[in-house]
Amino acid sequence: MDHLSLLTPTDLQQRFAAAIRQGRRERKLSREALSRISTVPASTIKRFETTGQISLRQFLMLWQCVDRLSRLAEVCEPPPRLPASIDEVLAS
């Protein structure tokens, strides 16, 4: 944990839940319809949208129904290397 952040895991869970809910609503899908498409039980979708609690696999199954998995995969890419000194900045 190198970086100080005011964002907590719970905050991020709630953001992901809101993104799934928004994507579902934009596609005019009920929880039951999303359940049929994703194979995630409607009760699990409801719990996730309410509490942010869900397994990673189920989250990914929902995400691929409302957005591109490639957007999440980008998080796994290493960040660009930042210069460590002023000399490196001047050299580039």
Side-chain angles (χ1 to χ4, degrees):
M1 297 179 125
D2 295 331
H3 306 286
L4 179 63
S5 174
L6 297 178
L7 183 67
T8 68
T10 301
D11 295 334
L12 196 52
Q13 287 175 291
Q14 291 296 327
R15 286 185 185 187
F16 278 130
I20 295 287
R21 184 175 42 253
Q22 180 179 349
R24 176 178 66 78
R25 289 177 176 168
E26 286 173 358
R27 286 158 185 75
K28 298 186 180 2
L29 294 171
S30 65
R31 288 181 181 137
E32 291 74 23
L34 181 56
S35 174
R36 284 191 300 276
I37 296 167
S38 67
T39 71
V40 175
S43 60
T44 300
I45 296 170
K46 180 180 180 180
R47 184 180 75 241
F48 176 54
E49 289 183 352
T50 305
T51 68
Q53 298 292 316
I54 196 168
S55 75
L56 177 59
R57 178 166 174 71
Q58 288 176 321
F59 169 72
L60 294 173
M61 292 167 69
L62 292 175
W63 188 271
Q64 73 180 353
C65 292
V66 299
D67 206 326
R68 299 179 326 277
L69 284 177
S70 61
R71 287 199 336 127
L72 290 177
E74 290 172 7
V75 173
C76 298
E77 296 297 320
R81 185 182 169 282
L82 298 175
S85 69
I86 190 67
D87 293 330
E88 286 184 22
V89 171
L90 296 174
S92 62

